[in-house]
Amino acid sequence: MELKNGPIIFVVEDNLFYQHLVAKELESIGAELYFYTNGEACLRELHRSPSVIVMDYNLDGELNGLDTLQKVRSISPDVYAILFSSQKGLNTKDIFVKYGSFDFLEKNNLSFRILKQMVICAIEEPGLI
Amino acid sequence: MNLQQELIMLKQQLQTERVARRRAEQLLEESRKLMMEGGCLAGRPAAVANGQEDFPVAAKPEAGNMSGGGVDSGKEAFDERLFLEEVLNETPAEIIVVDNQYRYLFVNPMAVGDPAVREWMIGKTNEEYCRYTGSSQEKARTRREVFEKVLQTRQLVEWEEKLENARGEIKYILRKVYPAIDELGEIRWVIVYGVNITERRIFEEKVRLSEKRYRDLFNYSQALICTHDMEGRLLTVNPEIARTLGYLQEEMIGRKIHEFIPEDQQESFAMEYLSAIRNTNNIVNGVFCILDKQGQRIYLLYKNYRVEEPGLEPYVIGFAQNVTDRIQVERELRFAKQITEDGARAKETFLAHMSHEIRTPMSGILGIAGLLAKTRLDDQQRNYLQLIQESANNLLVIVNDILDLEKIIAGKLNLERIGFRIVNKIATTIQSFIYKAEEKELGLIFRNFIPADLVVNGDPYRLSQVLNNILSNALKFTETGHIDISTGVAEQDEETVTIEITVRDTGIGISEDRIKRVFDPFVQADATISRKYGGTGLGLTICKHMIEMQNGEFFVQSEEGKGSAFTVRIPYHLSIEEMENETNQENQENQEINYKSLGHKRVLVAEDVELNQYLAKHILESWDFEVVIANNGKEALDQVKKSSFDCILMDVQMPEMDGIEATQHIRQLADTTLASIPIIALTANALKGDSEKYISAGMNDYLAKPFDEVKLFKVISRNLRSRDPLLRTTPEKPKNGSSTNEKTGIDMQQIEEGKLYDLTMVQSVSGGDEGFIKKMVALFIETVPQNVQELNKGLEAENWDQVGKMAHKLKSTVDSMGIQSIRQDIRTVESNAKHKESLDQIPQLVKRIETVINRCIGQLQAEIG
């Protein structure tokens, strides 16, 4: 078994620039961060059991963020998924129910702090067992 | 030692013991054969037939008899007998030979240790021996029954005898009783062969218990337990699994697990589970989604182990628990959370609407009152007007208080961080109370011990708000005497300074039992106070929150009937900036504004409230502007299409089409000149994040209502000036948009001036990490040209999806780098490409984006290296 030092966070984001910003912002949480630019890679790596997935809508590869989330949900029903996107119309109950996102955050210059808060809350939520 | 190991050890011992016994049996069989042959060889068949006296072997040396036995074969026969006797005596098993009447013929030392007893036994029956040893008749009877059975069946009879000695120790003997039959078919002797199997029985018992424990665990456990082979075929399943999934155990065993996995999970099951447990990990855990017999999805939280034991095929033992309910509950909880959050959002929206509903008419009242004040009024009218203005202002304060508190509670109150001269700020705040104090004939004393040139970094507005609140309370609750404001530096080091401000009054004071609650929301020192003095009871709560947000302290000392003293302590960072700006700004504000300096402009006012329409129109016309009114967003859009404007004032909330939507439509117009008209949002929405929303909708600026003439003039002149060079060069815009080609050149000129990027956002994320900022700049320089290239490629191929996608990708990067000049262009490209609209605009916009980005990179390289 691999030793886990801290909670694991996946960031699925096709924009490298944004990846770095997210990385910097989440750096202080003390989690292991994994970055993917496409949904397929994220799905392949789910065995790392991430606690939180930060998911963009537009991704490289065939799957978009929602498709990916839907698949994630069927494999790991517990992972806390935050849809982090500038795409409009994702913050609806239908989307939450259909694709299994737990949270939505609109991407803009002010939202990084909020993202960090969301992630911290998700991690600190008492575990399942 | 765990169960598993114990079991293995016991099994091994048992095996060893079994092999030893088999060896002993073989040995005995050999001896029996030898004995039979030996008897024949000895050439004394008759003697044997005659009786037991002549039995060839006894447990006592009979050398004489034996030596005389075989004359012909002589020494050989003698050796044979001796050998046999020795073998029988040494055999680690009880060997007894009896005749067909159950009279003892031979007993070896294993069976009976005492040689005297052995000798005595010869010729005695089983019953006699049992009597002799004091054993029960029951034992003798059992033995006899076995013996009779052997005689009757002429077959080997195997039985197990349980013996208990005087000390209560129990011994298990496995006896094999079988007849020795001569060539005539008569039973000559009966051989009783016994092995002590006590140890084995104890082992077996242990194994049985151990296995039972394991089986019980398996059968009665609430956990779901199974084993399967490396192909995923179920070897065993426990009853709990069968119960959970609604199958019988036998319906599951032998089937492969993936037959129970739903279609959409097959791939992940094979990938994440089966191949993992087979190839990489000894332990795999996670959640399976399994279909039960009814086809319902069951979620199992599992932890499975691969077991590899020497000599056994590797298999997997799996433990799981059913978490379906839990997952369901969690989903419901999440849903409930969503609803709660929706509710919270609704509340926030409600507050925003409320503030809008109240502020809009308020702005009308204040605006018109301002206009009225400019007309000729007699003293009484002026007095009434002043009362109207005061009441309206008070109402605004209350609305603002409620909004502030809501922001504080929601954690949305943002503090400014700018340099300001602290004494100036305090003095100007106090100044506005001088008149009121004079009216009430109260003394107002300001004793300042803060150096006049002390400049700090912080939020001057919140300081002034707090001070305002304390002073207005002091004035409100003091009828005679004075109000004393003393300020000083409580602590100071190289970087920070803690300012202390105390406001002392000689008012009604607060009683001891109420003083603790004065900072609670909606609580006033006395319930009668709100009737007598008014107010919401929010002021001190807000002050306390604001001060604490700045890491400060706020406390009160009071004596009923004598007065109160409120003390504020706030730590500030010292600022090294010189405070020119502040003074300039103040000078500017104090300067007489020449409202006609902008010249004749045409302004579209989109506003649904008539009073506000009138107010805006009146103010703007007084500046020599031409004003066109639109009652909603739709009308505004029609107006823009019909004629040209220099600027649009756009209310956000309007019927039919709101300001944001109208702005988005305007920004997408084919004619780029029309599409780039400066739009200023007029808003009563004061919640945080709104300004961001307006800007991202494509508005250039915003102005919170109620606005006054000065603010309106500033925002309009700011936005007109920045567009001026553009507008001047195309005085008359052709409606078909053909002028756009010439325009690019002009735009470029505009691009050249000043820094194109703004790293504020990256800096704020960096938390002061310079290396990070450098890295981000390098990343920008490295990746963005690629994106632009791909954008161009998509453009050449007229692959609009690609263009839209790349524009989307660039959009967030451009926003993060604060490249304002192409902010809107990128959005237009993305939106046009996505909707396949006005595609002919795209090449030119992309060109512009590319130029700006290249210059930006140039600037960044020069700046940061």
Side-chain angles (χ1 to χ4, degrees):
Chain A
M1 286 281 279
E2 29 183 18
L3 282 173
K4 287 170 190 169
N5 295 324
I8 287 177
I9 299 173
F10 279 13
V11 179
V12 190
E13 163 71 61
D14 63 327
N15 185 332
L16 286 180
F17 199 80
Y18 249 71
Q19 277 196 1
H20 280 75
L21 288 171
V22 173
K24 184 71 188 173
E25 190 63 46
L26 300 186
E27 181 183 77
S28 60
I29 297 180
E32 274 183 59
L33 294 175
Y34 292 89
F35 288 91
Y36 309 101
T37 57
N38 62 70
E40 290 83 349
C42 159
L43 289 171
R44 269 200 304 279
E45 299 273 299
L46 270 185
H47 60 83
R48 295 186 192 279
S49 317
S51 323
V52 179
I53 298 183
V54 178
M55 179 78 70
D56 190 12
Y57 176 76
N58 285 293
L59 299 174
D60 293 345
E62 292 297 309
L63 298 175
N64 68 26
L66 287 184
D67 299 335
T68 312
L69 268 191
Q70 205 170 23
K71 287 195 192 302
V72 165
R73 190 54 68 228
S74 61
I75 298 166
S76 312
D78 294 326
V79 60
Y80 196 89
I82 300 171
L83 207 48
F84 185 49
S85 173
S86 54
Q87 192 76 23
K88 307 279 176 216
L90 297 181
N91 195 12
T92 70
K93 198 170 75 189
D94 287 350
I95 295 280
F96 289 116
V97 172
K98 184 161 178 214
Y99 296 101
S101 50
F102 289 169
D103 242 322
F104 172 82
L105 182 61
E106 189 176 322
K107 211 188 254 182
N108 62 43
N109 287 359
L110 301 173
S111 49
F112 282 95
R113 283 290 132 80
I114 307 171
L115 179 69
K116 183 176 171 182
Q117 284 312 314
M118 277 184 167
V119 170
I120 289 174
C121 291
I123 289 172
E124 284 174 355
E125 205 171 286
L128 277 176
I129 303 169
Chain B
M1 193 162 55
N2 67 30
L3 195 71
Q4 194 80 15
Q5 283 171 312
E6 193 179 349
L7 207 64
I8 290 167
M9 213 200 67
L10 286 173
K11 279 179 178 165
Q12 279 169 350
Q13 284 180 349
L14 197 62
Q15 189 61 21
T16 319
E17 199 271 337
R18 272 187 194 132
V19 170
R21 186 161 61 84
R22 211 156 35 235
R23 256 186 236 130
E25 278 174 23
Q26 273 168 4
L27 198 61
L28 188 71
E29 183 61 20
E30 292 290 314
S31 351
R32 190 180 68 90
K33 278 188 194 148
L34 276 174
M35 197 160 74
M36 296 291 283
E37 284 163 17
C40 294
L41 280 171
R44 295 169 55 187
V48 170
N50 283 345
Q52 68 282 1
E53 287 85 17
D54 295 318
F55 184 74
V57 183
K60 53 176 183 178
E62 275 184 85
N65 188 9
M66 280 179 185
S67 60
V71 185
D72 40 9
S73 54
K75 194 173 171 70
E76 206 183 347
F78 168 77
D79 282 347
E80 190 91 49
R81 287 174 59 124
L82 196 63
F83 170 71
L84 280 176
E85 195 178 320
E86 256 171 44
V87 165
L88 289 178
N89 285 344
E90 294 305 317
T91 300
E94 297 184 10
I95 297 166
I96 296 164
V97 182
V98 297
D99 70 1
N100 53 16
Q101 302 299 311
Y102 213 145
R103 279 191 293 255
Y104 294 104
L105 299 177
F106 170 81
V107 179
N108 82 341
M110 270 304 275
V112 176
D114 187 343
V117 177
R118 275 207 303 274
E119 203 168 335
W120 175 83
M121 278 174 79
I122 303 301
K124 302 282 188 308
T125 63
N126 160 51
E127 286 75 10
E128 284 170 310
Y129 174 64
C130 282
R131 255 199 307 280
Y132 172 77
T133 55
S135 308
S136 66
Q137 285 303 305
E138 177 65 33
K139 191 158 115 187
R141 204 157 41 239
T142 314
R143 286 177 180 177
R144 176 64 78 173
E145 274 165 20
V146 174
F147 178 76
E148 293 299 338
K149 196 175 168 192
V150 171
L151 290 187
Q152 208 181 333
T153 60
R154 303 161 69 86
Q155 298 272 323
L156 179 141
V157 172
E158 191 176 283
W159 70 294
E160 206 178 295
E161 191 172 21
K162 183 180 175 187
L163 300 174
E164 192 174 344
N165 69 9
R167 287 193 297 274
E169 288 163 349
I170 289 175
K171 211 160 80 168
Y172 292 92
I173 309 290
L174 178 73
R175 294 197 193 283
K176 290 185 177 186
V177 186
Y178 49 98
I181 299 167
D182 65 16
E183 56 270 38
L184 297 172
E186 295 290 324
I187 293 175
R188 250 160 128 199
W189 316 312
V190 171
I191 300 167
V192 180
Y193 155 76
V195 207
N196 185 340
I197 55 163
T198 311
E199 220 172 315
R200 178 183 134 198
R201 282 301 301 266
I202 290 169
F203 279 143
E204 275 176 349
E205 186 63 15
K206 275 191 187 170
V207 169
R208 198 182 64 76
L209 271 177
S210 178
E211 274 177 348
K212 182 171 183 297
R213 262 187 291 177
Y214 170 71
R215 226 178 13 254
D216 286 351
L217 197 67
F218 188 77
N219 285 335
Y220 303 123
S221 168
Q222 294 292 298
L224 312 181
I225 307 172
C226 74
T227 55
H228 68 76
D229 67 14
M230 299 318 281
E231 301 303 312
R233 195 179 298 282
L234 288 165
L235 302 172
T236 56
V237 296
N238 77 337
E240 188 62 20
I241 290 196
R243 199 190 61 75
T244 304
L245 298 180
Y247 286 99
L248 297 173
Q249 272 165 287
E250 32 314 353
E251 286 176 314
M252 298 188 70
I253 291 167
R255 288 175 68 184
K256 287 192 167 181
I257 299 177
H258 73 69
E259 295 174 37
F260 301 92
I261 302 273
E263 199 55 44
D264 55 327
Q265 308 275 319
Q266 291 285 355
E267 199 186 321
S268 63
F269 171 75
M271 248 168 33
E272 268 110 44
Y273 173 69
L274 209 52
S275 83
I277 196 108
R278 235 184 345 218
N279 306 320
T280 43
N281 299 343
N282 291 331
I283 303 174
V284 176
N285 52 21
V287 174
F288 282 141
C289 177
I290 301 258
L291 293 177
D292 71 3
K293 201 169 185 178
Q294 269 74 49
Q296 298 286 323
R297 281 174 185 238
I298 305 282
Y299 291 91
L300 303 182
L301 182 72
Y302 69 89
K303 189 163 193 177
N304 289 5
Y305 303 79
R306 188 174 67 223
V307 183
E308 287 179 63
E309 272 174 35
L312 281 178
E313 281 287 304
Y315 66 96
V316 174
I317 178 159
F319 299 92
Q321 69 191 105
N322 184 356
V323 293
T324 314
D325 288 349
R326 206 161 64 187
I327 282 174
Q328 203 120 34
V329 169
E330 269 166 38
R331 289 213 173 126
E332 277 162 18
L333 272 178
R334 267 176 207 128
F335 187 63
K337 182 181 162 223
Q338 191 57 41
I339 289 172
T340 316
E341 281 168 357
D342 286 349
R345 226 164 284 148
K347 188 176 145 206
E348 205 172 278
T349 320
F350 171 75
L351 272 165
H353 280 268
M354 270 287 287
S355 83
H356 175 85
E357 295 303 332
I358 296 171
R359 282 189 193 209
T360 307
M362 288 305 297
S363 70
I365 293 167
L366 282 167
I368 303 294
L371 293 178
L372 190 59
K374 288 183 181 177
T375 62
R376 195 196 300 270
L377 298 171
D378 63 31
D379 283 353
Q380 194 179 23
Q381 284 169 330
R382 195 160 295 282
N383 198 18
Y384 290 156
L385 181 61
Q386 203 182 335
L387 285 174
I388 290 172
Q389 283 174 319
E390 264 177 35
S391 307
N393 274 320
N394 287 343
L395 194 54
L396 260 184
V397 169
I398 292 170
V399 171
N400 286 338
D401 273 1
I402 292 173
L403 276 170
D404 272 346
L405 187 69
E406 192 56 30
K407 280 194 231 172
I408 288 168
I409 289 169
K412 284 182 171 178
L413 191 77
N414 283 342
L415 290 173
E416 286 276 359
R417 208 179 147 78
I418 54 173
F420 67 101
R421 203 163 269 162
I422 196 135
V423 179
N424 282 5
K425 195 73 216 174
I426 296 170
T428 30
T429 309
I430 294 171
Q431 214 153 27
S432 59
F433 288 90
I434 295 174
Y435 173 71
K436 279 186 197 164
E438 274 174 7
E439 257 186 351
K440 279 184 98 171
E441 293 181 352
L442 297 171
L444 192 65
I445 308 152
F446 178 28
R447 276 185 293 204
N448 175 43
F449 295 98
I450 300 173
D453 57 353
L454 182 70
V455 179
V456 298
N457 266 329
D459 192 331
Y461 312 111
R462 302 300 169 195
L463 175 66
S464 154
Q465 194 177 350
V466 166
L467 208 51
N468 256 318
N469 210 301
I470 301 173
L471 284 170
S472 61
N473 273 347
L475 275 164
K476 200 195 277 182
F477 297 117
T478 307
E479 295 304 327
T480 54
H482 59 266
I483 291 154
D484 178 320
I485 305 138
S486 57
T487 56
V489 172
E491 276 170 45
Q492 182 167 12
D493 59 28
E494 281 172 15
E495 286 177 353
T496 57
V497 56
T498 302
I499 299 298
E500 187 175 295
I501 303 168
T502 302
V503 177
R504 245 180 227 97
D505 65 49
T506 54
I508 57 171
I510 307 162
S511 68
E512 212 170 309
D513 54 327
R514 295 190 188 273
I515 202 160
K516 290 187 201 94
R517 298 189 58 210
V518 292
F519 297 127
D520 292 350
F522 302 106
V523 169
Q524 288 179 323
D526 191 321
T528 57
I529 282 176
S530 59
R531 262 174 274 141
K532 198 165 156 195
Y533 297 97
T536 54
L538 286 176
L540 290 176
T541 314
I542 293 168
C543 286
K544 190 165 169 68
H545 278 294
M546 280 178 178
I547 292 163
E548 281 168 1
M549 275 175 73
Q550 301 176 72
N551 301 317
E553 293 170 277
F554 187 34
F555 47 88
V556 57
Q557 284 176 303
S558 185
E559 203 174 322
E560 201 169 4
K562 291 204 170 162
S564 311
F566 285 86
T567 303
V568 178
R569 234 182 246 151
I570 302 175
Y572 287 104
H573 279 278
L574 287 165
S575 172
I576 39 166
E577 287 172 53
E578 276 305 311
M579 284 290 76
E580 275 173 74
N581 292 351
E582 194 184 0
T583 42
N584 281 352
Q585 215 177 323
E586 269 171 20
N587 288 342
Q588 235 172 23
E589 266 175 43
N590 296 338
Q591 261 171 16
E592 273 295 303
I593 295 171
N594 179 6
Y595 291 113
K596 305 211 169 159
S597 60
L598 295 174
H600 179 75
K601 299 284 175 198
R602 217 164 164 257
V603 176
L604 177 63
V605 175
E607 162 71 67
D608 60 321
V609 180
E610 214 177 316
L611 193 67
N612 288 334
Q613 287 174 359
Y614 175 77
L615 182 64
K617 194 170 153 75
H618 186 91
I619 292 175
L620 291 171
E621 278 175 355
S622 75
W623 306 347
D624 262 352
F625 281 23
E626 184 186 341
V627 179
V628 176
I629 301 287
N631 287 305
N632 56 51
K634 208 163 165 349
E635 282 186 29
L637 188 59
D638 292 341
Q639 287 289 352
V640 169
K641 287 178 186 164
K642 248 192 297 196
S643 54
S644 66
F645 293 97
D646 295 309
C647 171
I648 302 172
L649 298 181
M650 182 81 81
D651 188 17
V652 175
Q653 282 180 337
M654 285 184 291
E656 286 212 50
M657 183 191 282
D658 66 23
I660 291 184
E661 200 184 336
T663 304
Q664 283 164 344
H665 281 293
I666 292 169
R667 293 302 184 220
Q668 281 168 22
L669 289 176
D671 184 330
T672 46
T673 315
L674 292 187
S676 59
I677 297 174
I679 300 176
I680 297 159
L682 293 181
T683 170
N685 287 3
L687 290 189
K688 183 205 152 201
D690 281 349
S691 57
E692 184 70 20
K693 198 160 77 195
Y694 306 143
I695 304 294
S696 70
M699 292 175 166
N700 300 65
D701 216 327
Y702 74 100
L703 183 62
K705 287 195 275 193
F707 51 82
D708 58 26
E709 196 171 0
V710 179
K711 283 184 188 156
L712 185 63
F713 184 81
K714 276 186 182 168
V715 71
I716 288 180
S717 62
R718 182 160 70 216
N719 286 284
L720 281 179
R721 223 172 275 160
S722 69
R723 307 299 298 191
D724 248 8
L726 254 173
L727 295 166
R728 286 280 165 265
T729 39
T730 44
E732 211 42 60
K733 295 170 289 275
K735 290 276 177 270
N736 56 16
S738 68
S739 73
T740 43
N741 287 342
E742 310 161 24
K743 259 195 67 227
T744 16
I746 301 150
D747 274 16
M748 293 310 162
Q749 279 179 357
Q750 205 192 357
I751 290 164
E752 272 181 299
E753 50 195 63
K755 206 166 73 168
L756 288 165
Y757 58 89
D758 178 2
L759 291 179
T760 313
M761 187 255 171
V762 176
Q763 270 159 350
S764 97
V765 170
S766 79
D769 178 350
E770 286 294 325
F772 176 74
I773 298 171
K774 281 211 169 122
K775 194 170 87 186
M776 292 307 287
V777 169
L779 193 69
F780 177 82
I781 294 172
E782 192 186 318
T783 61
V784 170
Q786 275 176 11
N787 293 344
V788 174
Q789 208 183 338
E790 276 176 64
L791 186 63
N792 273 320
K793 251 192 247 166
L795 195 61
E796 271 167 43
E798 300 201 337
N799 179 349
W800 302 116
D801 288 337
Q802 161 89 354
V803 169
K805 221 171 167 182
M806 284 328 292
H808 181 87
K809 205 168 193 175
L810 269 174
K811 178 176 73 179
S812 45
T813 312
V814 161
D815 286 358
S816 316
M817 291 294 287
I819 308 172
Q820 291 295 338
S821 52
I822 50 170
R823 198 188 152 88
Q824 192 50 48
D825 297 334
I826 282 213
R827 285 172 164 75
T828 312
V829 171
E830 185 193 0
S831 154
N832 287 6
K834 198 180 268 174
H835 300 109
K836 313 264 190 306
E837 285 171 5
S838 314
L839 294 170
D840 54 328
Q841 271 186 14
I842 294 181
Q844 178 205 336
L845 287 169
V846 169
K847 185 95 199 82
R848 189 181 145 86
I849 289 166
E850 190 178 359
T851 312
V852 170
I853 283 179
N854 285 340
R855 285 180 198 211
C856 211
I857 288 175
Q859 287 184 352
L860 283 165
Q861 278 165 338
E863 176 90 359
I864 301 193

